[in-house]
Amino acid sequence: PSPPNCPDISETTVRELAEPLSGFCEMRIRGIARLESAVVSSLLFLSPVTAVLLGWVFLDQTLTLPQIAGVVFVIGSIWLAQRPNRNES
């Protein structure tokens, strides 16, 4: 039996999800291999942000003010880290 408040996931559902996810993972790995290490390291912070936002959208989870601030902070820091350095000549 499933724990309380958890959807019942069949083996077929897991197989149906596994194939597209494995393709996505392969694309992600190939893309990461082509990027600079500084870009990859900052973009890895998007994984927990993505998990939080997907939980909010699909699982109807609530977001607290600190979580929203964290999402904004992470996205802002990635944006700042990826901006070109204007002092380079």
Side-chain angles (χ1 to χ4, degrees):
S2 296
N5 298 326
C6 290
D8 188 25
I9 299 175
S10 69
E11 188 175 332
T12 305
T13 304
V14 172
R15 282 193 200 126
E16 290 172 353
L17 291 173
E19 188 174 337
L21 286 176
S22 66
F24 172 75
C25 290
E26 183 178 345
M27 285 187 333
R28 184 175 176 188
I29 290 169
R30 288 183 184 191
I32 287 173
R34 295 179 179 165
L35 296 173
E36 296 178 21
S37 59
V39 174
V40 173
S41 62
S42 62
L43 290 178
L44 288 176
F45 287 108
L46 285 177
S47 292
V49 170
T50 303
V52 167
L53 294 176
L54 288 174
W56 175 63
V57 170
F58 293 108
L59 300 176
D60 200 29
Q61 296 177 344
T62 57
L63 293 177
T64 64
L65 188 58
Q67 288 171 322
I68 295 168
V71 166
V72 170
F73 181 75
V74 168
I75 292 173
S77 64
I78 291 170
W79 177 74
L80 286 173
Q82 299 305 314
R83 287 182 33 198
N85 190 352
R86 298 186 192 275
N87 295 332
E88 291 180 4
S89 298

